[in-house]
């Protein structure tokens, strides 16, 4: 392996590091006593990564709530499920709002409206700078407000079911396509007073 490909691999890994840390942090908290995840610090040390990312690991541990972690992990479980217009399940496929609705219902027991514009209307408006994992992000992809929705996972990334012929995937909101079409951020109100 050349130093150029090592540098490319490190750069690629660094871009997705916050999402990886969020997932690992959630797994550590969600599965206490589970041997593969008991000591993430040792794993990172063994891979020579702790010196570079230790501060980010601690930040992820400090800022990610268990509900948001659970929600993001559940959303990631649907990666690669095919898009299907009107789809509401992993078995049949998802459209964007069906995906968001299914993740919130399965993770938190919260039933959101079916359409993306209805989801925007039923949730609390927040500033883009306030986004936290589990918040909703909306885009104008069909020349109308709130025509597309996804779930924010952290570090400018969101997970969504994009379009016909595609699958549930994670993307960067800072990409030109998404940045130009960003329509707003929303927070789903807590269930039964839980944060």
């Amino acid at each position: 392996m050349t130093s150029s490909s090592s540098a490319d691999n490190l750069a690629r890994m660094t871009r997705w590091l916050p999402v990886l840390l969020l997932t690992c942090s959630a797994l550590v908290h969600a599965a206490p006593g589970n041997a593969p995840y008991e000591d993430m610090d040792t794993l990172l040390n063994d891979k020579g990564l702790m010196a570079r990312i230790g501060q980010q690991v601690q930040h992820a541990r400090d800022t990610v709530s268990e509900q948001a972690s659970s929600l993001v992990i559940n959303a990631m479980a649907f990666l690669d499920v095919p898009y299907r217009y009107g789809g509401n399940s992993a078995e049949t496929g998802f459209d964007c709002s069906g995906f968001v609705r299914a993740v919130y219902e399965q993770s938190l027991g919260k039933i959101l409206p079916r359409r993306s514009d209805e989801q925007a209307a039923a949730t609390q408006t927040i500033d883009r700078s306030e986004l936290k994992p589990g918040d909703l992000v909306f885009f104008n992809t069909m020349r109308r407000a709130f025509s597309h929705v996804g779930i924010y996972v952290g570090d400018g990334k969101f997970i969504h079911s994009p379009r016909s012929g595609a699958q549930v995937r994670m993307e960067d909101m800072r990409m030109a396509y998404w940045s130009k079409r960003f329509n707003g951020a929303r927070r789903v109100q807590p269930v039964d007073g839980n944060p």
Side-chain angles (χ1 to χ4, degrees):
M1 179 181 279
T2 67
S3 62
S4 170
S5 38
S6 292
D8 290 345
N9 287 340
L10 182 59
R12 228 176 280 122
M13 185 184 77
T14 303
R15 280 195 305 271
W16 291 100
L17 184 60
V19 174
L20 175 64
L21 291 175
L22 173 68
T23 305
C24 289
S25 177
L27 289 170
V28 169
H29 292 294
N34 190 347
Y37 304 110
E38 269 184 351
D39 196 355
M40 187 170 59
D41 292 346
T42 301
L43 173 67
L44 293 173
N45 274 326
D46 290 349
K47 300 289 183 187
L49 298 173
M50 189 52 125
R52 293 184 203 145
I53 62 170
Q55 194 171 25
Q56 289 176 312
V57 170
Q58 191 56 49
H59 178 72
R61 287 179 180 149
D62 293 342
T63 59
V64 177
S65 76
E66 273 190 47
Q67 267 192 350
S69 298
S70 170
L71 189 122
V72 169
I73 288 170
N74 285 339
M76 287 182 179
F78 293 121
L79 286 169
D80 299 326
V81 169
Y83 178 93
R84 180 174 178 209
Y85 182 77
N88 291 308
S89 72
E91 293 77 29
T92 62
F94 290 114
D95 64 11
C96 66
S97 57
F99 168 69
V100 168
R101 189 172 200 252
V103 169
Y104 265 88
E105 184 174 1
Q106 290 177 21
S107 302
L108 305 178
K110 179 83 172 179
I111 309 283
L112 295 177
R114 179 59 185 88
R115 292 187 356 219
S116 57
D117 59 341
E118 294 169 338
Q119 290 174 355
T123 51
Q124 175 189 356
T125 302
I126 59 170
D127 189 75
R128 186 175 185 156
S129 65
E130 299 174 69
L131 275 168
K132 294 180 180 175
D135 288 337
L136 303 182
V137 288
F138 292 88
F139 303 90
N140 180 342
T141 59
M142 299 171 65
R143 297 186 182 158
R144 63 180 165 80
F146 310 113
S147 54
H148 187 71
V149 62
I151 299 172
Y152 186 71
V153 297
D155 190 40
K157 312 285 191 304
F158 72 110
I159 187 169
H160 66 132
S161 187
R163 67 182 183 286
S164 184
Q167 301 168 325
V168 172
R169 66 183 180 214
M170 209 171 337
E171 293 196 70
D172 196 316
M173 292 172 47
R174 296 165 291 201
M175 288 175 44
Y177 179 87
W178 296 113
S179 184
K180 285 193 306 191
R181 290 164 177 79
F182 181 73
N183 220 189
R186 300 287 189 272
R187 183 160 295 150
V188 176
Q189 294 302 306
V191 179
D192 298 349
N194 293 330

